[in-house]
Amino acid sequence: MYQINENYQKLPGSYLFSTIGKKVAAFQEENPDKDIIRLGIGDVTQPIAPAIIEAMHKAVDEMGDAATFRGYAPDLGYEFLRSAIAENDYKARGCDISADEIFVSDGAKSDSGNIQEIFAVTNRIAVCDPVYPVYVDSNVMAGRTGTYDPKTETWSDVIYMPCTAENHFVPEFPKEVPDMIYLCLPNNPTGTTLTKDQLQLWVDYANKNGAVIIYDAAYEAYISEDNVAHSIYECEGAKTCAIELRSFSKNAGFTGVRLGFTVVPKELKCGEVSLHSMWARRHGTKFNGAPYIVQRAGEAVYSPAGKEQLAKQVAYYMNNARTIKEGLKDAGFDVYGGVNAPYIWLKTPDKMTSWEFFDYLLEKANVVGTPGSGFGPSGEGYFRLTAFGNYENTVKALERIKAL
Amino acid sequence: MYQINENYQKLPGSYLFSTIGKKVAAFQEENPDKDIIRLGIGDVTQPIAPAIIEAMHKAVDEMGDAATFRGYAPDLGYEFLRSAIAENDYKARGCDISADEIFVSDGAKSDSGNIQEIFAVTNRIAVCDPVYPVYVDSNVMAGRTGTYDPKTETWSDVIYMPCTAENHFVPEFPKEVPDMIYLCLPNNPTGTTLTKDQLQLWVDYANKNGAVIIYDAAYEAYISEDNVAHSIYECEGAKTCAIELRSFSKNAGFTGVRLGFTVVPKELKCGEVSLHSMWARRHGTKFNGAPYIVQRAGEAVYSPAGKEQLAKQVAYYMNNARTIKEGLKDAGFDVYGGVNAPYIWLKTPDKMTSWEFFDYLLEKANVVGTPGSGFGPSGEGYFRLTAFGNYENTVKALERIKAL
């Protein structure tokens, strides 16, 4: 008789955003007249920029013509896209990353979940707490996290690095040295980040201790401060210790278009073994490329028109972030983030738990946010609101919250 | 110090089609004047059908308008697509599969590689030999295959079911009962298949022995004979033992568009554990949906216009298949397949090995095929040609082969 992967049975509950989705759907069904404003899941609302729409139409036409039709894409992704990425996201920032160190994918969620596959199951992972749940969940599925303690909501073999108001959301080096360190900067969910100098310390730590950093920079487009790195490769020595994950979902609104990429420098080696070769093998065996049309959409992100249009889109969301942050401050909340990231992180009032505040906000203000505890035990007592709504709804949501 | 997944080091060589790609590129560089005809990789050449192009343009426009923009897709895929699949691929064939048993993905290669993740590493897999390399390779990466013997080109813990001219390419029940049985029917690479009655025996075998069947039906659109099942769920009892993988790459030319789906019936359980729930969890954690535009393209596959246009496309390729098969027969080759599948499987002449014949054909006729041994040890001495070229090139390739 076949057996299942028992690690799945260890996972408590369901994926955070599925749970929220179900709760909201149930509330809407019971209250069909209520106008719910969703500032929960980090999904964008602005339409795809005109330059990208134009590029997709052109690519669709190419696919309909035998002379320009494209079948399977090259294993790593099309050269036109990888070159645009290398040029704009790396060389322009002084990072020596070449096009053939870039692996185009269907999005950073897939890469975040899949990247652990090339590492030993015995590796010990460290995560910021709170953080995007996919890192821990995908490691649970792989059997890398030990046993779950429902009381503390922690895994025995995961090293948690608490990031709270007390330490200004800056993770401290753990007592036990981890093998794999997940860093999501700017951070989801806290909306805070490290300075480049602080990040350099992590790179030095990883190189010194033989750890690998999985660096998720999905929100880099929202960085507004000069002393914050857009890529970990701005730090000296990062190429020998870090893999970087990037997304088009937040800078270009591709949550429904699906595109991302992972950088694995050729210098990154475990002993003699090149992680670049390993990821290439994984990519070539268990994946078959992002759609041609979508890769052309990605290329348009880097066109002059695309850049201009997307800068406005990012500014639009950051204006929402300011609106939320200032509105919450006016209402007496303790708030964080929102300066280098589209997320606002707030302390729940009156010692409510995160889920209590979720229910309270949904029922009383018909506003959906995300409970901080869903991102890790140190997220308890916090709550995330996103700047990805449209402006009118964001203003309306804040009015409702202020009126509570 | 972190460690890598050592299973990757066990993989011999690179992914088959990457190797072929490199060999062909090298030959072309040395012989820039040669007109190479590619009948190797199973990549289509006909452009996307007009009904689908129209649907994609419409979806692109929707993405550019705030009122119709779509962000993250529902976890399982859009209802409009899952309903069309359930209706057309299942209910119309008398299979009781509902829309919520269908998981939309970015393609059957991803699903083929990922599906093993929900099973125990201790499970013993069985594969037809020869077969699509992803099944074995993804299990190697997961650590399920034991050690590799370069002499026999087999893995110690994989159960091989030889399919050769001697047994008419019909796998026999293995001596040792496997836990997971991969069946690719119509078969890639042999282009042969089982009758529905023969498939029913496998379903009965799996149910009786507590095995799960991973049924890859990527080529079902090419089935021309009435006694062949298009879905394993046409067999009685399949819902308690089988997962079905389907692709849009071959029936609709989506190799560069990327869309597939997996069916996990709710009745399929390992003890008390629902595999449907497990795959939903995997899908929700390590994947974020196929692009909206591509899901609309998939929906158009099932429109009246789409169906009509795609029937012609399939007929076009099957005309190529006939051309290849008859041409090879005229040239004195032993040939198989090509009736219910777009692949022609031939015995190499003069006892050449598969790779010897690959080089011979590339150098002398400038035609690219796929060495049978790349699909498994019992593929040695065979060679695959695909019907996915355009007709003119296919005719030209056959003329060159006949002239050898």
Side-chain angles (χ1 to χ4, degrees):
Chain A
M1 176 77 191
Y2 71 94
Q3 300 299 322
I4 55 159
N5 177 348
E6 290 288 350
N7 297 311
Y8 277 61
Q9 300 312 105
K10 300 180 193 164
L11 281 165
S14 70
Y15 181 60
L16 174 62
F17 296 108
S18 308
T19 309
I20 292 173
K22 279 175 199 158
K23 265 186 172 257
V24 174
F27 179 81
Q28 184 78 85
E29 201 174 311
E30 280 166 36
N31 303 275
D33 56 315
K34 299 286 188 195
D35 169 33
I36 296 175
I37 299 176
R38 287 171 171 76
L39 303 179
I41 190 164
D43 200 356
V44 296
T45 52
Q46 291 293 294
I48 301 298
I52 300 166
I53 293 292
E54 194 186 322
M56 286 201 283
H57 276 306
K58 185 161 170 271
V60 168
D61 282 333
E62 286 181 66
M63 293 299 273
D65 182 339
T68 50
F69 171 79
R70 310 267 190 139
Y72 291 120
D75 267 4
L76 272 63
Y78 281 103
E79 172 69 28
F80 61 76
L81 177 56
R82 291 187 290 111
S83 293
I85 293 168
E87 200 54 54
N88 289 278
D89 284 325
Y90 295 101
K91 285 179 188 144
R93 294 198 184 279
C95 305
D96 178 27
I97 294 293
S98 64
D100 62 357
E101 294 175 308
I102 292 161
F103 296 79
V104 174
S105 78
D106 65 321
K109 187 175 174 196
S110 303
D111 287 347
S112 301
N114 294 333
I115 193 72
Q116 48 77 28
E117 295 178 19
I118 64 170
F119 297 100
V121 180
T122 49
N123 283 351
R124 194 77 180 259
I125 72 161
V127 292
C128 291
D129 170 25
V131 84
Y132 182 50
V134 168
Y135 313 144
V136 170
D137 287 0
S138 57
N139 276 288
V140 173
M141 292 169 167
R144 209 175 271 113
T145 58
T147 53
Y148 186 69
D149 179 349
K151 236 166 93 183
T152 57
E153 297 188 339
T154 56
W155 294 89
S156 60
D157 292 356
V158 172
I159 298 167
Y160 293 87
M161 305 184 289
C163 296
T164 62
E166 285 67 39
N167 63 9
H168 308 285
F169 304 99
V170 177
E172 289 153 37
F173 296 123
K175 283 182 201 117
E176 182 191 355
V177 175
D179 300 305
M180 296 159 61
I181 302 165
Y182 285 84
L183 293 178
C184 176
L185 296 169
N187 184 260
N188 174 11
T190 70
T192 60
T193 194
L194 302 190
T195 63
K196 188 178 158 185
D197 291 345
Q198 288 170 326
L199 183 60
Q200 181 68 56
L201 297 176
W202 278 96
V203 170
D204 295 343
Y205 174 87
N207 274 323
K208 187 180 149 207
N209 291 288
V212 64
I213 296 175
I214 315 289
Y215 191 76
D216 183 348
Y219 298 94
E220 70 82 24
Y222 294 86
I223 293 170
S224 69
E225 294 181 318
D226 285 342
N227 63 347
V228 177
H230 287 251
S231 162
I232 195 165
Y233 304 115
E234 291 180 43
C235 294
E236 212 169 320
K239 285 171 75 176
T240 55
C241 70
I243 289 171
E244 182 162 294
L245 314 178
R246 293 281 280 263
S247 168
F248 288 83
S249 288
K250 316 296 172 167
N251 64 328
F254 278 22
T255 54
V257 175
R258 310 307 313 141
L259 192 67
F261 62 90
T262 287
V263 181
V264 188
K266 293 197 171 172
E267 291 169 41
L268 182 56
K269 287 183 180 176
C270 180
E272 291 299 299
V273 181
S274 152
L275 297 193
H276 182 280
S277 300
M278 290 185 74
W279 188 241
R281 193 64 195 254
R282 199 263 168 218
H283 218 63
T285 303
K286 294 178 77 179
F287 180 60
N288 221 341
Y292 173 69
I293 296 159
V294 172
Q295 295 199 45
R296 282 291 184 199
E299 183 190 29
V301 166
Y302 298 101
S303 68
K307 282 181 187 173
E308 196 193 320
Q309 291 160 9
L310 293 177
K312 281 183 193 156
Q313 216 169 70
V314 167
Y316 176 94
Y317 289 132
M318 287 310 274
N319 185 45
N320 288 349
R322 264 188 304 279
T323 304
I324 299 172
K325 195 165 185 179
E326 284 163 21
L328 289 172
K329 270 188 189 164
D330 289 350
F333 286 90
D334 291 330
V335 285
Y336 309 94
V339 175
N340 294 300
Y343 293 127
I344 310 296
W345 189 241
L346 61 99
K347 268 294 270 163
T348 57
D350 306 328
K351 301 198 173 166
M352 278 190 213
T353 67
S354 298
W355 277 108
E356 280 167 0
F357 189 69
F358 174 89
D359 291 331
Y360 173 76
L361 212 62
L362 179 59
E363 283 160 27
K364 304 294 178 192
N366 310 140
V367 171
V368 182
T370 310
S373 58
F375 297 101
S378 296
E380 182 57 275
Y382 291 90
F383 198 77
R384 191 190 77 174
L385 289 174
T386 94
F388 287 129
N390 70 44
Y391 179 68
E392 295 70 25
N393 277 344
T394 302
V395 169
K396 208 194 289 179
L398 265 293
E399 280 167 6
R400 291 186 196 167
I401 293 171
K402 283 189 205 169
L404 284 176
Chain B
M1 176 77 192
Y2 72 93
Q3 299 299 322
I4 56 159
N5 177 346
E6 291 288 350
N7 297 310
Y8 277 60
Q9 301 311 106
K10 301 179 194 166
L11 281 165
S14 71
Y15 181 61
L16 173 63
F17 295 108
S18 308
T19 309
I20 292 173
K22 280 174 199 157
K23 266 187 172 257
V24 174
F27 179 81
Q28 183 78 86
E29 203 174 311
E30 280 166 36
N31 303 276
D33 55 315
K34 300 285 188 195
D35 170 33
I36 296 175
I37 300 177
R38 287 171 170 77
L39 303 179
I41 191 165
D43 200 355
V44 296
T45 50
Q46 291 294 295
I48 301 298
I52 299 166
I53 292 293
E54 195 186 321
M56 286 201 284
H57 276 307
K58 186 160 170 269
V60 168
D61 281 333
E62 287 182 66
M63 294 299 272
D65 181 338
T68 49
F69 171 78
R70 310 268 189 139
Y72 291 120
D75 267 4
L76 272 63
Y78 280 103
E79 173 69 29
F80 61 76
L81 176 56
R82 291 186 291 110
S83 293
I85 293 168
E87 200 53 55
N88 290 278
D89 283 324
Y90 295 101
K91 285 180 188 143
R93 296 200 182 279
C95 304
D96 179 27
I97 295 293
S98 64
D100 62 357
E101 294 175 308
I102 292 161
F103 296 79
V104 173
S105 77
D106 65 322
K109 186 175 174 195
S110 303
D111 287 346
S112 301
N114 294 332
I115 193 71
Q116 47 77 27
E117 294 179 19
I118 66 170
F119 296 100
V121 179
T122 48
N123 282 351
R124 194 80 180 256
I125 72 161
V127 292
C128 292
D129 169 25
V131 84
Y132 182 49
V134 168
Y135 313 144
V136 170
D137 287 0
S138 58
N139 276 288
V140 172
M141 291 169 168
R144 209 175 270 113
T145 57
T147 52
Y148 186 69
D149 179 351
K151 235 166 93 184
T152 58
E153 297 189 339
T154 57
W155 294 89
S156 59
D157 291 357
V158 172
I159 298 167
Y160 293 87
M161 305 184 290
C163 296
T164 60
E166 285 67 39
N167 63 9
H168 307 284
F169 304 99
V170 176
E172 288 153 38
F173 296 122
K175 282 182 201 117
E176 183 191 355
V177 175
D179 300 305
M180 296 159 62
I181 301 164
Y182 285 84
L183 293 177
C184 176
L185 296 169
N187 184 261
N188 173 10
T190 68
T192 60
T193 193
L194 302 190
T195 64
K196 188 178 158 186
D197 291 346
Q198 288 170 326
L199 182 59
Q200 181 68 55
L201 297 176
W202 278 96
V203 169
D204 296 342
Y205 174 87
N207 274 323
K208 189 181 147 205
N209 291 289
V212 64
I213 295 175
I214 315 289
Y215 191 75
D216 183 349
Y219 299 93
E220 69 81 23
Y222 293 86
I223 293 169
S224 69
E225 294 181 319
D226 286 341
N227 63 347
V228 177
H230 288 251
S231 162
I232 195 166
Y233 303 115
E234 291 179 43
C235 294
E236 213 169 320
K239 284 172 74 176
T240 55
C241 70
I243 289 171
E244 182 163 295
L245 314 179
R246 293 281 279 263
S247 168
F248 288 83
S249 288
K250 315 297 170 165
N251 63 328
F254 277 24
T255 52
V257 175
R258 309 307 313 142
L259 192 67
F261 63 91
T262 287
V263 181
V264 188
K266 294 198 171 171
E267 290 169 42
L268 182 55
K269 289 183 179 174
C270 181
E272 291 300 299
V273 181
S274 151
L275 297 194
H276 182 279
S277 301
M278 290 185 74
W279 188 240
R281 192 64 193 256
R282 200 262 168 219
H283 218 62
T285 303
K286 293 178 77 179
F287 180 60
N288 222 342
Y292 173 68
I293 296 159
V294 172
Q295 295 198 46
R296 283 292 184 199
E299 184 190 28
V301 166
Y302 299 101
S303 68
K307 282 180 188 174
E308 196 192 320
Q309 291 160 10
L310 294 176
K312 281 183 194 155
Q313 216 169 70
V314 167
Y316 176 93
Y317 291 131
M318 287 310 275
N319 185 45
N320 288 350
R322 262 188 306 278
T323 304
I324 298 171
K325 196 166 184 178
E326 284 163 21
L328 290 172
K329 269 188 192 165
D330 289 350
F333 286 91
D334 290 331
V335 285
Y336 310 95
V339 176
N340 295 299
Y343 293 126
I344 309 296
W345 189 240
L346 61 99
K347 267 291 252 176
T348 57
D350 306 327
K351 301 198 171 167
M352 277 190 212
T353 68
S354 298
W355 278 109
E356 280 167 1
F357 189 68
F358 173 90
D359 291 331
Y360 173 76
L361 212 61
L362 179 59
E363 283 160 28
K364 304 293 176 193
N366 309 138
V367 171
V368 181
T370 310
S373 57
F375 298 99
S378 295
E380 183 56 275
Y382 291 90
F383 199 78
R384 191 190 77 174
L385 290 174
T386 95
F388 287 130
N390 71 41
Y391 179 68
E392 294 70 25
N393 278 344
T394 303
V395 169
K396 208 192 291 178
L398 265 292
E399 280 166 6
R400 292 186 195 165
I401 293 172
K402 283 189 208 170
L404 285 176

